[in-house]
Amino acid sequence: MAYSFSRPSAKRAARVLSLERSTATDGGRGAEVPGGDLYDPVTGLLAPAGRFTAVVCGDPDAAGRLAERLGGHPSEPDRSVLLGGVPLDELPLDSARTAVLVQDKDPVLLSGTLRELLDVPSSGTVPAADALAAAQCADVLDALVQGSLGAADPMDARITERGRSLSGGQRQRLALARSLITDPEVLVLDEPTSAVDSHTEARIADGLRRLRSGRTTVVFTSSPLLLDRADRVALVHEGDVVAVGTHRELVEREPRYRAVVTRETDEELTAAGEGILLDALQELDEIEENA
């Protein structure tokens, strides 16, 4: 019986281990990592170099696909994302991964010590302490020490498989700290604060902006706290960028943006539009009377 169960499992494992990447890893260009603006020709999304760009997309699945494309996984042939005018899929794989790092919505934490978790390829310019502080991980460090067996240093505390001993918000913040340590040319974050409270989210937004100053950061979010701290906000609707501006500008002039960010219903949008129209008509009547 053990043999009959093990043999099919062994076949599946062998198939996985024999897989080869379907695309070349050496690219068609040199290994030098380019700098400059990040541009997606499919949606028209532009993330200026060295700026904090937020992206609002009403469809979470579409946002996830766009985040993947920004990381060098084009959904259409010959429509690769451009970094400084260079197609990302023409770079060697290692260079592309160094240039753009994408942290998806559900990052995975493997078992091991916190020191091992944060031992990732990086530029070496962002210390672990600064990344943990920016991601607001003080309570996470306390929880790791309390839950460990004799580890006085949080960096030596062990994390269980997939971080099951931590809350969703704590796991999310540790994953954010790990991404910040990497310090890539372009960092793409998909809903990095969806599992934290508003006060923590506000502090993370400030820490993210401070630590990534001068680096290109793209955040997919609908949180007003993050959006208000972005240099530039882009609204993606039905696969295209339809509006660009600051958070406050878009709230005032773009109903589709306001609907996603404030969770307004169609009835509320209609009522708001009617109210604006009535106010405008009233102002016109007053102008005519005074004339």
Side-chain angles (χ1 to χ4, degrees):
M1 184 180 293
Y3 175 79
S4 66
F5 281 116
S6 300
R7 192 166 185 271
S9 298
K11 282 186 175 181
R12 289 194 293 270
R15 283 200 302 271
V16 171
L17 293 173
S18 65
L19 290 174
E20 295 183 3
R21 185 177 174 85
S22 59
T23 57
T25 61
D26 54 356
R29 292 176 179 264
E32 183 178 353
V33 176
D37 299 342
L38 183 71
Y39 176 70
D40 174 37
V42 177
T43 60
L45 176 64
L46 175 68
R51 306 293 294 279
F52 182 177
T53 300
V55 181
V56 174
C57 185
D59 182 354
D61 293 334
R65 290 192 296 271
L66 177 53
E68 288 182 359
R69 191 161 61 249
L70 293 180
H73 303 283
S75 57
E76 301 178 27
D78 304 322
R79 301 298 299 275
S80 173
V81 169
L82 306 178
L83 179 60
V86 177
L88 208 58
D89 61 359
E90 292 185 7
L91 294 175
L93 184 61
D94 291 343
S95 298
R97 295 293 175 267
T98 300
V100 182
L101 173 67
V102 178
Q103 177 185 302
D104 63 21
K105 194 175 299 184
D106 299 306
V108 175
L109 302 182
L110 301 178
S111 59
T113 65
L114 180 58
R115 193 183 309 279
E116 292 169 339
L117 175 71
L118 301 181
D119 184 18
V120 293
S122 68
S123 67
T125 60
V126 177
D130 291 352
L132 290 166
Q136 299 299 307
C137 291
D139 65 309
V140 185
L141 301 182
D142 292 340
L144 287 174
V145 170
Q146 292 174 6
S148 66
L149 298 176
D153 187 346
M155 299 296 287
D156 295 325
R158 294 195 65 81
I159 298 172
T160 56
E161 185 68 27
R162 292 186 175 273
R164 291 191 179 94
S165 59
L166 302 172
S167 69
Q170 290 173 329
R171 290 194 298 270
Q172 194 173 57
R173 282 177 281 157
L174 277 183
L176 176 59
R178 179 177 59 186
S179 297
L180 292 173
I181 288 173
T182 303
D183 189 37
E185 183 71 25
V186 179
L187 177 60
V188 180
L189 303 170
D190 189 1
E191 294 288 355
T193 58
S194 59
V196 303
D197 61 78
S198 58
H199 296 291
T200 303
E201 186 176 40
R203 293 194 292 269
I204 290 175
D206 291 334
L208 182 62
R209 184 178 177 87
R210 181 178 63 255
L211 199 62
R212 291 288 299 173
S213 177
R215 306 289 263 171
T216 307
T217 308
V218 181
V219 178
F220 288 81
T221 184
S222 59
S223 165
L225 290 170
L226 278 173
L227 294 169
D228 194 40
R229 286 160 175 80
D231 299 313
R232 173 188 176 96
V233 180
L235 171 64
V236 177
H237 180 70
E238 296 183 352
D240 294 304
V241 173
V242 295
V244 176
T246 65
H247 168 61
R248 300 187 184 190
E249 290 171 349
L250 293 178
V251 166
E252 292 178 0
R253 63 179 170 84
E254 179 51 67
R256 290 170 295 187
Y257 178 85
R258 192 163 55 246
V260 176
V261 174
T262 65
R263 308 295 195 274
E264 286 183 340
T265 63
D266 292 339
E267 291 78 7
E268 290 171 333
L269 285 172
T270 301
E274 291 175 350
I276 293 172
L277 179 59
L278 289 174
D279 290 342
L281 291 173
Q282 185 175 0
E283 289 180 4
L284 286 174
D285 290 339
E286 292 176 354
I287 291 173
E288 289 178 355
E289 289 177 1
N290 292 334

